[in-house]
Amino acid sequence: MKNNSGIIFHFYSSKAWVPVIKVKTNCEFDHMASEIPGVGIYESTVLKGVTKSFTHSREPIISMGLPFYKESKKGVEYIKFLDNQVGKGFDLKAAIFGFWGYKCESDDKWYCSELGDTYFPRYLGEGSHIKTTIEPKVLIAKIDSFLLGLSEKEK
């Protein structure tokens, strides 16, 4: 598939949070970030909220790429949306309560995988029927499903 660099979703693990998250989610990943090559790496962390940088805060364990045309109208709009989120806070309430099944997300704060999940409705225009907290494991499943659909179309 041709695209002008795509978007890359990076998934990370920290020794501090993994035991707690792994018990609840059966997943080794506790953080993710979205990278648009040549534009930046967007992530939301507890201490800094939403940031944009050009280096990883730690080494990703896995990285998954999806189509993204950064010079297309939707690509430009999505980058502008992400840039407008920089400086907003971390959605601690949603991350804590969502972790236990209570959905209470904020419109002006983000937790890491919630920010990454905006690719689907804001860039692709495809909302999700998943009405749950988007933890890294759920986002990986959505990306895998999307990639499986792409491979079927290419046959």
Side-chain angles (χ1 to χ4, degrees):
M1 168 180 295
K2 274 188 170 182
N3 65 44
N4 65 355
S5 71
I7 187 169
I8 306 163
F9 298 94
H10 301 287
F11 295 88
Y12 310 88
S13 180
S14 75
K15 293 179 182 164
W17 290 105
V18 167
V20 174
I21 291 175
K22 192 168 188 173
V23 166
K24 177 66 175 142
T25 67
N26 194 26
C27 181
E28 67 181 297
F29 307 111
D30 65 349
H31 184 63
M32 67 82 51
S34 306
E35 178 178 7
I36 301 171
V39 176
I41 301 170
Y42 299 89
E43 63 185 325
S44 185
T45 62
V46 174
L47 296 177
K48 295 181 182 178
V50 180
T51 59
K52 176 182 178 181
S53 65
F54 296 95
T55 58
H56 293 277
S57 57
R58 53 189 148 175
E59 194 63 33
I61 295 176
I62 64 167
S63 298
M64 305 172 80
L66 288 178
F68 185 80
Y69 302 89
K70 64 184 173 188
E71 290 152 8
S72 70
K73 181 180 181 210
K74 283 186 172 183
V76 170
E77 288 171 357
Y78 188 59
I79 291 167
K80 183 177 179 182
F81 165 77
L82 290 173
D83 284 339
N84 287 335
Q85 304 319 300
V86 173
K88 292 187 177 181
F90 182 82
D91 197 349
L92 187 59
K93 182 178 172 186
I96 291 172
F97 288 107
F99 193 64
W100 300 106
Y102 179 71
K103 197 157 174 65
C104 57
E105 294 158 346
S106 168
D107 290 336
D108 63 345
K109 295 179 182 177
W110 301 94
Y111 57 90
C112 62
S113 46
E114 178 188 32
L115 183 63
D117 188 55
T118 62
Y119 166 83
F120 292 95
R122 293 201 172 261
Y123 178 71
L124 293 180
E126 298 293 329
S128 177
H129 298 289
I130 299 173
K131 301 299 181 202
T132 187
T133 300
I134 302 294
E135 59 198 51
K137 175 174 84 172
V138 173
L139 188 55
I140 289 170
K142 285 179 75 170
I143 294 168
D144 273 343
S145 297
F146 185 87
L147 291 172
L148 286 170
L150 281 180
S151 67
E152 284 299 312
K153 287 181 182 179
E154 292 176 349
K155 287 184 179 178

